[in-house]
PDB file of all heavy atoms in Angstrom:
ATOM      1  N   LYS A  30      37.865  54.154 109.776  1.00  0.00           N
ATOM      2  CA  LYS A  30      39.111  54.505 110.458  1.00  0.00           C
ATOM      3  C   LYS A  30      39.663  55.840 109.977  1.00  0.00           C
ATOM      4  O   LYS A  30      40.733  56.266 110.397  1.00  0.00           O
ATOM      5  CB  LYS A  30      40.140  53.382 110.274  1.00  0.00           C
ATOM      6  CG  LYS A  30      39.620  52.077 110.849  1.00  0.00           C
ATOM      7  CD  LYS A  30      40.692  51.066 111.155  1.00  0.00           C
ATOM      8  CE  LYS A  30      40.089  49.960 112.015  1.00  0.00           C
ATOM      9  NZ  LYS A  30      40.964  48.799 112.160  1.00  0.00           N
ATOM     10  N   GLN A  63      26.779  68.645  81.238  1.00  0.00           N
ATOM     11  CA  GLN A  63      27.196  68.703  79.831  1.00  0.00           C
ATOM     12  C   GLN A  63      27.325  70.157  79.388  1.00  0.00           C
ATOM     13  O   GLN A  63      28.237  70.515  78.661  1.00  0.00           O
ATOM     14  CB  GLN A  63      26.169  67.951  78.971  1.00  0.00           C
ATOM     15  CG  GLN A  63      26.593  67.695  77.525  1.00  0.00           C
ATOM     16  CD  GLN A  63      26.268  68.862  76.591  1.00  0.00           C
ATOM     17  OE1 GLN A  63      25.276  69.559  76.757  1.00  0.00           O
ATOM     18  NE2 GLN A  63      27.135  69.092  75.614  1.00  0.00           N
ATOM     19  N   ILE A  95      33.439  57.099 101.338  1.00  0.00           N
ATOM     20  CA  ILE A  95      33.676  58.535 101.472  1.00  0.00           C
ATOM     21  C   ILE A  95      33.612  58.844 102.974  1.00  0.00           C
ATOM     22  O   ILE A  95      32.761  58.289 103.684  1.00  0.00           O
ATOM     23  CB  ILE A  95      32.620  59.296 100.637  1.00  0.00           C
ATOM     24  CG1 ILE A  95      33.037  59.233  99.164  1.00  0.00           C
ATOM     25  CG2 ILE A  95      32.427  60.722 101.124  1.00  0.00           C
ATOM     26  CD1 ILE A  95      32.057  59.838  98.199  1.00  0.00           C
ATOM     27  N   LYS A 114      24.456  53.500 103.648  1.00  0.00           N
ATOM     28  CA  LYS A 114      23.898  52.206 103.244  1.00  0.00           C
ATOM     29  C   LYS A 114      22.398  52.116 103.518  1.00  0.00           C
ATOM     30  O   LYS A 114      21.634  51.645 102.697  1.00  0.00           O
ATOM     31  CB  LYS A 114      24.609  51.067 103.970  1.00  0.00           C
ATOM     32  CG  LYS A 114      25.795  50.505 103.201  1.00  0.00           C
ATOM     33  CD  LYS A 114      26.319  49.260 103.878  1.00  0.00           C
ATOM     34  CE  LYS A 114      27.127  48.420 102.905  1.00  0.00           C
ATOM     35  NZ  LYS A 114      27.759  47.271 103.570  1.00  0.00           N
ATOM     36  N   PHE A 124      26.740  60.808  90.677  1.00  0.00           N
ATOM     37  CA  PHE A 124      27.630  61.587  89.817  1.00  0.00           C
ATOM     38  C   PHE A 124      28.938  61.860  90.558  1.00  0.00           C
ATOM     39  O   PHE A 124      28.913  62.354  91.693  1.00  0.00           O
ATOM     40  CB  PHE A 124      26.977  62.936  89.462  1.00  0.00           C
ATOM     41  CG  PHE A 124      25.649  62.805  88.764  1.00  0.00           C
ATOM     42  CD1 PHE A 124      24.472  62.666  89.478  1.00  0.00           C
ATOM     43  CD2 PHE A 124      25.587  62.812  87.374  1.00  0.00           C
ATOM     44  CE1 PHE A 124      23.244  62.536  88.835  1.00  0.00           C
ATOM     45  CE2 PHE A 124      24.365  62.682  86.722  1.00  0.00           C
ATOM     46  CZ  PHE A 124      23.188  62.546  87.453  1.00  0.00           C
ATOM     47  N   ALA A 135      49.661  69.372  90.190  1.00  0.00           N
ATOM     48  CA  ALA A 135      50.456  69.674  88.989  1.00  0.00           C
ATOM     49  C   ALA A 135      51.102  71.058  89.100  1.00  0.00           C
ATOM     50  O   ALA A 135      52.242  71.258  88.673  1.00  0.00           O
ATOM     51  CB  ALA A 135      49.578  69.586  87.743  1.00  0.00           C
ATOM     52  N   HIS A 145      46.651  78.916  99.452  1.00  0.00           N
ATOM     53  CA  HIS A 145      45.870  78.345 100.558  1.00  0.00           C
ATOM     54  C   HIS A 145      46.506  77.066 101.099  1.00  0.00           C
ATOM     55  O   HIS A 145      46.313  76.723 102.259  1.00  0.00           O
ATOM     56  CB  HIS A 145      44.403  78.103 100.153  1.00  0.00           C
ATOM     57  CG  HIS A 145      44.237  77.080  99.072  1.00  0.00           C
ATOM     58  ND1 HIS A 145      44.328  77.380  97.726  1.00  0.00           N
ATOM     59  CD2 HIS A 145      44.000  75.743  99.128  1.00  0.00           C
ATOM     60  CE1 HIS A 145      44.127  76.283  97.024  1.00  0.00           C
ATOM     61  NE2 HIS A 145      43.938  75.283  97.835  1.00  0.00           N
ATOM     62  N   PRO A 153      39.793  79.961  98.931  1.00  0.00           N
ATOM     63  CA  PRO A 153      38.711  80.951  98.921  1.00  0.00           C
ATOM     64  C   PRO A 153      37.821  80.775  97.692  1.00  0.00           C
ATOM     65  O   PRO A 153      38.301  80.564  96.574  1.00  0.00           O
ATOM     66  CB  PRO A 153      39.442  82.294  98.882  1.00  0.00           C
ATOM     67  CG  PRO A 153      40.799  82.001  98.350  1.00  0.00           C
ATOM     68  CD  PRO A 153      41.109  80.571  98.698  1.00  0.00           C
ATOM     69  N   ALA A 166      15.252  72.280  85.483  1.00  0.00           N
ATOM     70  CA  ALA A 166      14.999  73.067  86.687  1.00  0.00           C
ATOM     71  C   ALA A 166      16.275  73.644  87.295  1.00  0.00           C
ATOM     72  O   ALA A 166      16.220  74.378  88.272  1.00  0.00           O
ATOM     73  CB  ALA A 166      14.305  72.179  87.713  1.00  0.00           C
ATOM     74  N   LEU A 167      17.418  73.312  86.727  1.00  0.00           N
ATOM     75  CA  LEU A 167      18.691  73.688  87.361  1.00  0.00           C
ATOM     76  C   LEU A 167      19.275  74.957  86.764  1.00  0.00           C
ATOM     77  O   LEU A 167      19.432  75.071  85.549  1.00  0.00           O
ATOM     78  CB  LEU A 167      19.694  72.544  87.231  1.00  0.00           C
ATOM     79  CG  LEU A 167      19.243  71.204  87.805  1.00  0.00           C
ATOM     80  CD1 LEU A 167      20.326  70.154  87.607  1.00  0.00           C
ATOM     81  CD2 LEU A 167      18.906  71.337  89.283  1.00  0.00           C
ATOM     82  N   PRO A 179      52.219  85.261  91.327  1.00  0.00           N
ATOM     83  CA  PRO A 179      53.147  86.272  90.833  1.00  0.00           C
ATOM     84  C   PRO A 179      52.946  86.405  89.319  1.00  0.00           C
ATOM     85  O   PRO A 179      52.662  85.400  88.644  1.00  0.00           O
ATOM     86  CB  PRO A 179      54.528  85.669  91.133  1.00  0.00           C
ATOM     87  CG  PRO A 179      54.295  84.511  92.042  1.00  0.00           C
ATOM     88  CD  PRO A 179      52.895  84.058  91.851  1.00  0.00           C
ATOM     89  N   ARG A 226      49.711  89.197  97.894  1.00  0.00           N
ATOM     90  CA  ARG A 226      50.824  90.149  97.999  1.00  0.00           C
ATOM     91  C   ARG A 226      50.654  91.237  96.945  1.00  0.00           C
ATOM     92  O   ARG A 226      49.949  91.044  95.932  1.00  0.00           O
ATOM     93  CB  ARG A 226      52.144  89.423  97.827  1.00  0.00           C
ATOM     94  CG  ARG A 226      52.312  88.414  98.969  1.00  0.00           C
ATOM     95  CD  ARG A 226      53.656  87.725  98.984  1.00  0.00           C
ATOM     96  NE  ARG A 226      53.586  86.631  99.955  1.00  0.00           N
ATOM     97  CZ  ARG A 226      54.017  85.381  99.746  1.00  0.00           C
ATOM     98  NH1 ARG A 226      54.589  85.077  98.586  1.00  0.00           N
ATOM     99  NH2 ARG A 226      53.893  84.466 100.669  1.00  0.00           N
ATOM    100  N   VAL A 232      43.883  84.830  90.153  1.00  0.00           N
ATOM    101  CA  VAL A 232      43.484  83.992  89.020  1.00  0.00           C
ATOM    102  C   VAL A 232      42.329  83.110  89.484  1.00  0.00           C
ATOM    103  O   VAL A 232      42.378  82.543  90.587  1.00  0.00           O
ATOM    104  CB  VAL A 232      44.675  83.146  88.498  1.00  0.00           C
ATOM    105  CG1 VAL A 232      44.268  82.324  87.282  1.00  0.00           C
ATOM    106  CG2 VAL A 232      45.853  84.071  88.150  1.00  0.00           C
ATOM    107  N   GLY A 258      35.406  68.876 101.340  1.00  0.00           N
ATOM    108  CA  GLY A 258      36.763  68.456 101.700  1.00  0.00           C
ATOM    109  C   GLY A 258      36.905  66.961 101.934  1.00  0.00           C
ATOM    110  O   GLY A 258      38.020  66.446 101.933  1.00  0.00           O
ATOM    111  N   LEU A 270      44.015  61.780  84.010  1.00  0.00           N
ATOM    112  CA  LEU A 270      42.914  62.679  83.661  1.00  0.00           C
ATOM    113  C   LEU A 270      43.392  63.830  82.774  1.00  0.00           C
ATOM    114  O   LEU A 270      42.582  64.602  82.265  1.00  0.00           O
ATOM    115  CB  LEU A 270      42.276  63.261  84.922  1.00  0.00           C
ATOM    116  CG  LEU A 270      41.514  62.286  85.816  1.00  0.00           C
ATOM    117  CD1 LEU A 270      41.006  63.000  87.057  1.00  0.00           C
ATOM    118  CD2 LEU A 270      40.343  61.670  85.055  1.00  0.00           C
TER     119      LEU A 270
END
Side-chain angles (χ1 to χ4, degrees):
Chain A
K30 300 200 167 169
Q63 191 274 327
I95 282 175
K114 268 188 159 174
F124 302 86
H145 64 275
L167 303 180
R226 297 186 190 134
V232 182
L270 292 177

